[in-house]
């Protein structure tokens, strides 16, 4: 995590500098008016990178160094089980379709379509989240 927070906070620092420079440049170039769209976009990009960098910094203080963060780390140190990955699921497609329906409702300003899309987004999110918790419950007794 040490490398990740350094990368994100370096990019955030660059974006903050670019935001200040862009705001000052547009202020001087257009007779005392700032071009707000680009300035706000750069500022929000800075905030997003700072948030990610801050999260990685916070987590890196609470966990042990990973093999890729140690100077004496070997490739074999990272071997073993990484985690569980779903072999296949239709829920991401359903979630994307639901988000597209909600987006179309927002684009055409149709509240019924927006509501339908948001309800299906919640349903698809629950389906994706609880995909492996459905079915019969197995206990140690059976």
């Amino acid at each position: 995590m040490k490398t990740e927070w350094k990368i994100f906070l370096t990019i955030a620092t660059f974006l903050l500098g670019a935001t200040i420079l862009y705001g000052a440049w547009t202020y001087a170039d257009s007779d005392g008016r700032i071009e707000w769209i680009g300035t706000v976009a750069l500022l929000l990009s800075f905030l997003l990178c700072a948030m990610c960098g801050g999260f990685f910094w916070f987590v890196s203080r609470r966990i042990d160094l990973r093999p890729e963060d140690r100077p004496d780390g070997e490739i074999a140190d990272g071997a073993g089980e990484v985690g569980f990955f779903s072999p296949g699921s239709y829920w991401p497609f359903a979630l994307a379709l639901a988000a597209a329906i909600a987006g179309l409702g927002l684009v055409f300003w149709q509240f019924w379509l927006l509501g339908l899309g948001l309800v299906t987004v919640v349903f698809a999110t629950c389906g994706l989240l609880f995909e492996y918790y459905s079915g019969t419950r197995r206990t140690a007794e059976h």
Side-chain angles (χ1 to χ4, degrees), residues 97-137:
L97 186 64
I101 290 170
L104 283 174
L106 196 58
V107 165
F108 293 117
W109 209 241
Q110 298 294 317
F111 293 112
W112 66 272
L113 192 58
L114 179 62
L116 177 70
L118 292 176
V119 167
T120 54
V121 162
V122 169
F123 178 73
T125 304
C126 290
L128 183 64
L129 182 64
F130 296 116
E131 181 174 18
Y132 292 102
Y133 294 105
S134 62
T136 60
R137 186 172 183 188

Side-chain angles (χ1 to χ4, degrees), residues 49-73:
C49 284
M51 181 182 65
C52 293
F55 172 76
F56 285 135
W57 173 75
F58 183 76
V59 169
S60 72
R61 290 182 21 213
R62 289 173 167 36
I63 63 172
D64 294 332
L65 285 177
R66 299 176 303 168
E68 53 265 22
D69 290 333
R70 293 192 326 247
D72 63 337

Side-chain angles (χ1 to χ4, degrees), residues 39-97:
T39 307
V40 170
L42 284 168
L43 181 65
L44 290 175
S45 299
F46 155 72
L47 290 173
L48 181 63
C49 284
M51 181 182 65
C52 293
F55 172 76
F56 285 135
W57 173 75
F58 183 76
V59 169
S60 72
R61 290 182 21 213
R62 289 173 167 36
I63 63 172
D64 294 332
L65 285 177
R66 299 176 303 168
E68 53 265 22
D69 290 333
R70 293 192 326 247
D72 63 337
E74 297 289 330
I75 294 175
D77 293 339
E81 184 176 331
V82 177
F84 173 74
F85 298 97
S86 178
S89 174
Y90 292 110
W91 286 111
F93 176 73
L95 187 59
L97 186 64

